[in-house]
Amino acid sequence: FCNACFEEHLRRQEAQNQPYTCPADRKGLDRDRDVFPDNATGRKILSMAIKCPSDGCSWTGELRDKEPHLKACLFKIVDCTNNNCHVTLKRKHLEQHV
């Protein structure tokens, strides 16, 4: 389960004064002993191959590298940096626009 869904499950049980149970098999669980992040799965997810979501960009890489790429991606849509200018354009056109 993702953290958000699991926390919501526990929040509902707590609100109804019910003991914590596993959402899969409903067996009791000790939050301090039985609940921990699955680091192996996290690493596996972060190593998944992705494509840049910016239209026209051919970059591919691991999910872990998405944010650093988007900070420099020339095809990412960005806001103009001029005050009172509300234009959005691809980063590669920003210098010419400004």
Side-chain angles (χ1 to χ4, degrees):
F1 294 92
C2 73
N3 188 55
C5 291
F6 186 74
E7 288 297 326
E8 177 63 18
H9 169 74
L10 295 181
R11 187 194 64 73
R12 287 183 190 157
Q13 289 185 320
E14 196 171 273
Q16 297 171 2
N17 291 320
Q18 296 177 343
Y20 293 139
T21 59
C22 172
D25 64 12
R26 301 289 186 226
K27 291 182 181 176
L29 65 95
D30 179 330
R31 187 172 187 162
D32 295 327
R33 187 190 71 217
D34 299 328
V35 180
F36 52 89
D38 185 346
N39 293 330
T41 299
R43 285 190 298 274
K44 190 172 187 176
I45 291 169
L46 290 174
S47 69
M48 292 179 130
I50 63 164
K51 295 179 181 179
C52 179
S54 301
D55 194 31
C57 182
S58 61
W59 178 87
T60 60
E62 292 185 346
L63 178 59
R64 75 178 81 251
D65 299 323
K66 178 184 175 188
E67 290 306 316
H69 166 73
L70 288 177
K71 287 181 180 177
C73 178
L74 296 176
F75 293 89
K76 185 174 191 293
I77 301 296
V78 295
D79 294 326
C80 176
T81 55
N82 288 328
N83 290 337
N84 299 320
C85 181
H86 303 290
V87 170
T88 58
L89 64 165
K90 290 183 179 184
R91 182 177 278 122
K92 69 180 185 174
H93 299 304
L94 184 61
E95 189 174 318
Q96 180 183 357
H97 172 76
V98 175

